[in-house]
RNA sequence: GCCGGGGUGGCGGAAUGGCAGACGCGACGGACUUAAAAUCCGUUGAACCUUAAAGUUCGUGCGGGUUCGAGUCCCGCCCCCGGCACCA
């Protein structure tokens, strides 16, 4: 009897050995081509659950595969360690965020180790440690110097749950906080922003990137570029400093159809233009709109509200005077915060006009229009009417014609508008990297000099969520001297959005201990950009978007020499349980530890890959794991049990061919991340080998030896512990993970025979095994001579015979 | 509403326009066992036909089309999942 397969024992054994021998250490001096394969690092929540394994284990398999294929692979791991949960733990349980985070890091390192991944831990980064965030601060200063960081008062997204502001990207479509799902409201606050909008056009381009189409689409939608015109309407008669209202429109061809103006309720001109008798009502409307969260705005959808403010603007193209309204469908944050009301050709304007009895003037006639009233806005192109000199033009041409005219006249010009807003990066919380600036009463905003970095987080802050940064109440932190004039000054107390930490961590892995800068330029040049990045699709318009902005900004400052951080991107699917996404807050987390300690990490890794295509995700199901567990035991026995077969091994050739066909299949599947079919092919192969071993005396057969060695090598990326153990037990030298991946020989893959399918009218009627060299004539003759076919044909007339080499003969009859 | 991705046995899923359902789970039958678990062997899309051997028909969300041949390509619809959405 052979020993039983005992994963806890062998997995622990190899994890220790790998660590002691630094098997996975990566260096830059290698003749092999470099390959940087990165998996998104986890937040330090404290536990790696099955969802993390699903993201990381298959990525590890691919990285191992590429290493065996001869690449010098960098496959690092680290921790995204700043963020609110740490601070909430401090508030709820009185644990310092640092203590809480580092304890979690400790536990997660242990869990990572038990997964058996090939991470080079000497390159680990932890974003909350000063030797990391010092460089996050340094990068902030660089962006500030480049004019890409600025402070401004603006309506910001305020999350009442997190008691801090959020970037637009962190607010869901329902107007809720991306993290805590609390309602988000608008608040006017002084905040720090990054000018990501400067890169709007470039961020829409994905040239040279091998990224999923949907992520590129999401990013393009997020930027939301619209081409049109800025048009000004005169308000000269009110004697204000502002002589005009500027609107952005994508439909300059409809400017003759303007019958009113709409200002966003928060628009600065509202107060100045409102006539006294409307003031109370307008104030009331504005206040209600301001207080309303995005959710409420959406829930009142379709019910058009608006209010005339008692003022008029003049359409400079036709001299018409139109009333000025406010309505909350005009958004201050988009375009100029003002809209020209063209009810005939914009559905929202149409609804407002209907609701309040405003005139509807058709200027782009639908086909066959006879002057009748419209049932709804006609938004499609048509022929221009009621448009003075432009009548009769197709409206698509009219756009350019009117813009050209306005540019000459000075009342409008071609313009582009974006949905994208600048990235709001300040947070009123403790557990983040402090923004390295000082507010001096004399000098204003003064950046902290590089030599004074890091600006350390004080240990002894109070973590009460007050809506202001806890740092504000920490006098030892706040009070400082101005780096410029040396007088008393105060530090900025907001901290940075944690997405800043993750916008550059992949640069740090190249030289994580480097102390003269965020990275060693030589090493960066060697490793970057990331060749393959894997992670969840949920970061399409957040992390991935910010990281691209960062790299483009650093490129323009000459700090890096590439403009895209991630060449290839692959999004794995989500693992769900009971039809729901796994998450700590839902309490439906499946702990990987338990399964790994019972069935082994190898079984869990393999099961996750076997569920289905990696980009699909799938439901966690214990039963499936059992199937893998049985298979691993069968492999164990196949390799180690004494051979009992007695027949002479006279199928060398078939054995060889099957081996090489499997090698080919596994190589091709791993290239494409088809882990599920790779495992299926290996199951077939091991089942086949078990049948051979049962009947034949395999001992001493070179073909058998090659088959078993190949099996172990092919399994090594997916089942690193089991493969290593069996490699050792079959008398090989340490380590299997330093072996080259098996390559197939094409001449050994080629079949000598194939099954010729014979169809009548496209239906399979017979099959026959024939030599691969069969000629078309022979195949046709053979097909027609088969008894079964003759019987089927009877006396029906053969119309034609289709022959597909290597596959089939199809006899078409009447 | 718009943009993606899907819909295949009891389940997860395979299938360069050419044998639909690989591989695995489950189920059923059998072997081993005092018994059970574990393990091993066999059967397993549906309907029909036959004592049996074999054979026939139907079958990849629905309806059309292209083709000698369609899960795969084209047109129209239904449903599910994800994203975006008062963006002027």
């Amino acid at each position: 009897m052979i020993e039983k397969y005992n994963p806890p024992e062998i997995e622990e054994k190899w994890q220790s050995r790998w660590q002691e021998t630094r098997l996975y250490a990566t260096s830059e001096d290698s003749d092999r081509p470099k390959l940087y394969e990165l998996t998104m690092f986890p937040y330090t929540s404290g536990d790696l659950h099955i969802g993390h394994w699903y993201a990381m284990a298959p990525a590890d398999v691919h990285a191992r595969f590429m290493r065996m294929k001869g690449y010098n692979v960098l496959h690092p791991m680290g921790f995204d360690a700043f963020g609110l949960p740490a601070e909430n733990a401090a508030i709820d349980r009185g644990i310092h965020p640092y203590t809480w985070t580092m304890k979690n890091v400790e536990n997660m390192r242990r869990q990572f180790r038990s997964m058996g991944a090939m991470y080079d831990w000497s390159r680990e980064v932890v974003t909350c440690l000063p030797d990391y965030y010092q460089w996050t601060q340094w990068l902030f200063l660089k962006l500030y110097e480049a004019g890409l960081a600025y402070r401004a008062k603006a309506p910001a997204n305020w999350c009442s749950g997190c008691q801090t502001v959020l970037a637009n990207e962190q607010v869901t479509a329902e107007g809720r906080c991306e993290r805590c799902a609390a309602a988000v409201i608008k608040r006017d606050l002084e905040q720090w922003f990054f000018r990501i909008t400067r890169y709007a056009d470039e961020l829409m381009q994905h040239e040279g990137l091998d990224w999923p189409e949907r992520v590129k689409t999401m990013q393009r939608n997020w930027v939301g570029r619209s081409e049109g015109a800025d048009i000004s309407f005169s308000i000269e008669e009110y004697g204000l400093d502002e002589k005009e209202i500027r609107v952005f429109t994508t439909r300059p061809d409809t400017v003759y159809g303007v019958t009113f103006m709409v200002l966003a309720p928060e628009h600065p001109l509202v107060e100045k233009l409102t006539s006294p008798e409307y003031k109370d009502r307008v104030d009331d409307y504005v206040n209600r709109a301001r207080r309303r969260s995005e959710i409420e705005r959406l829930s009142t959808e379709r019910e058009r509200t608006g209010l005339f403010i008692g003022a008029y603007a003049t359409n400079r193209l036709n001299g018409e005077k139109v009333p000025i309204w406010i309505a909350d469908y005009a958004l201050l944050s988009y375009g100029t915060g003002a809209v020209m009301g063209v009810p005939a050709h914009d559905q929202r304007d149409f609804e407002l006009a209907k609701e309040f009895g405003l005139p509807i003037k058709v200027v782009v006639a639908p086909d066959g229009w006879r002057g009748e009233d419209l049932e709804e806005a006609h938004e499609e192109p048509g022929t221009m009417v009621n448009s003075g000199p432009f009548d009769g033009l197709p409206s698509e041409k009219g756009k350019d014609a009117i813009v050209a005219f306005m540019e000459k006249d000075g009342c409008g010009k071609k313009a582009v508008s974006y949905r994208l807003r600048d990235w709001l990066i300040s947070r009123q919380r403790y557990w983040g990297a402090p923004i390295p600036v000082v507010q001096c009463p004399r000098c204003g905003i003064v950046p902290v000099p590089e030599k004074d970095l890091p600006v350390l987080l004080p240990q002894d802050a109070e973590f009460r969520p007050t809506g202001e940064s806890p740092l504000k109440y920490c006098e030892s932190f706040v009070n400082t001297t101005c780096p410029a004039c040396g007088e008393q000054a105060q530090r900025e107390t907001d901290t940075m959005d944690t997405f800043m930490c993750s916008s550059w961590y992949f640069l740090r892995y190249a030289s994580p201990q480097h102390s003269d800068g965020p990275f060693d330029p030589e090493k960066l040049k060697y490793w970057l950009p990331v060749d393959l990045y894997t992670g969840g699709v949920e970061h399409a318009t957040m992390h991935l978007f910010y990281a691209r902005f960062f790299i483009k900004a650093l490129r323009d400052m000459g700090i890096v020499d590439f403009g895209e951080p991630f060449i290839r991107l692959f999004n794995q699917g989500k693992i769900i349980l009971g039809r729901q996404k796994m998450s700590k807050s839902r309490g439906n987390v499946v702990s990987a530890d338990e399964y790994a300690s019972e069935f082994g990490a190898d079984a869990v890794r393999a099961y996750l890959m076997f569920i289905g295509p990696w980009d699909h995700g799938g439901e966690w199901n214990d039963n499936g794991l059992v199937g893998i567990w049985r298979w691993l035991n069968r492999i164990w026995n196949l390799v180690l049990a004494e051979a009992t077969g007695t027949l002479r091994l006279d199928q060398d050739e078939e054995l060889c061919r099957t081996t090489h066909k499997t090698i080919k299949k596994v190589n091709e599947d791993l290239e494409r991340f088809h882990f599920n079919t790779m495992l299926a092919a290996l199951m077939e192969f091991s089942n086949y080998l078990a049948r051979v071993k049962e009947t034949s005396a395999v001992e001493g057969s070179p073909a058998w030896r090659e088959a078993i060695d190949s099996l172990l090598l092919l399994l090594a990326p997916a089942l690193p512990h089991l493969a290593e153990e069996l490699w050792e037990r079959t008398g090989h030298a340490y380590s299997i993970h330093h072996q080259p991946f098996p390559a197939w020989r094409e001449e050994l893959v080629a079949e000598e025979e194939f099954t010729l399918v014979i169809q009548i009218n496209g239906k399979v009627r017979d099959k026959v095994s024939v030599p691969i060299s069969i000629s078309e004539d022979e195949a046709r003759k053979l097909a027609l001579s088969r008894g079964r076919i003759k019987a089927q044909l009877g006396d029906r007339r053969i119309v034609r015979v289709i022959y597909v080499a290597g596959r089939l003969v199809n006899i078409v009859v009447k």
Side-chain angles (χ1 to χ4, degrees), chain A residues 110 167 206 233 254 257 298 339 399 423 454 477 491 561 573 634 680 702 706 740 778 797 805:
Chain A
R110 178 187 63 76
H206 300 89
F233 288 75
T254 64
L298 280 175
V339 180
K399 283 185 183 177
W423 173 16
F477 177 84
R491 282 190 195 283
D561 64 357
R634 287 203 302 275
E706 188 196 13
E778 287 168 323
R797 189 166 59 84

Side-chain angles (χ1 to χ4, degrees), chain A residues 205-220:
Chain A
Q205 305 290 324
H206 300 89
E207 247 117 87
L209 297 187
D210 183 3
W211 279 32
E213 211 45 56
R214 67 171 164 160
V215 176
K216 293 194 274 186
T217 306
M218 280 158 79
Q219 293 198 339
R220 276 197 301 271

Side-chain angles (χ1 to χ4, degrees), chain A residues 559-602:
Chain A
I559 294 176
V560 303
D561 64 357
F562 52 95
E564 287 288 351
F566 316 119
I567 303 303
R568 185 175 178 196
L569 176 71
F570 188 94
N571 298 122
Q572 81 277 353
K574 282 188 189 64
I575 278 290
I576 56 169
L577 186 68
R579 307 178 67 91
Q580 279 195 311
K581 191 189 159 191
M582 254 183 228
S583 75
K584 222 172 177 178
S585 53
R586 278 199 191 82
N588 66 340
V589 171
V590 176
S591 155
D593 286 24
E594 287 168 38
Y595 289 99
S597 57
E598 187 173 352
F599 296 97
D602 285 344

Side-chain angles (χ1 to χ4, degrees), chain A residues 467-493:
Chain A
E468 286 179 306
S469 171
L471 296 179
K472 212 164 204 145
Y473 303 99
C474 184
E475 284 182 23
S476 60
F477 177 84
V478 174
N479 295 323
T480 185
T481 52
C482 170
C485 69
E487 297 292 314
Q488 272 283 310
Q490 301 202 308
R491 282 190 195 283
E492 167 67 60
T493 55

Side-chain angles (χ1 to χ4, degrees), chain A residues 26 60 75 146 154 250 283 363-364 367 435 469 546 556 615:
Chain A
T26 313
D60 176 63
H75 189 52
T250 55
D283 283 351
V363 292
V364 174
D367 279 352
I435 294 173
S469 171
Y546 298 138
D556 290 347
D615 52 355

Side-chain angles (χ1 to χ4, degrees), chain A residues 641-653:
Chain A
E642 209 167 309
T644 50
T646 51
L647 288 175
R648 246 188 59 230
L649 184 65
D650 52 8
Q651 41 188 342
D652 266 17
E653 216 172 300

Side-chain angles (χ1 to χ4, degrees), chain A residues 336-407:
Chain A
T336 61
V339 180
M340 61 182 206
V342 187
H345 307 294
D346 180 286
Q347 189 57 26
R348 292 154 303 173
D349 297 344
F350 183 88
E351 285 162 17
L352 191 80
K354 278 280 175 196
E355 183 75 31
F356 298 102
L358 294 160
I360 297 172
K361 180 180 168 195
V362 175
V363 292
V364 174
D367 279 352
W369 182 67
R370 296 264 175 276
E372 66 274 12
D373 286 351
L374 299 177
E375 295 289 317
E376 54 180 26
H378 175 72
E379 296 183 337
E380 294 73 37
T383 306
M384 294 180 65
V385 295
N386 297 321
S387 299
F390 302 97
D391 279 0
L393 269 183
S395 59
E396 288 300 316
K397 288 210 173 118
K399 283 185 183 177
D400 290 340
I402 288 192
V403 171
F405 177 83
M406 288 191 302
E407 282 183 347

Side-chain angles (χ1 to χ4, degrees), chain A residues 446-461:
Chain A
V446 181
V448 173
E450 278 179 37
K451 66 172 172 49
D452 294 340
L453 295 183
V455 175
L456 287 172
L457 268 180
Q459 283 290 310
D460 53 351

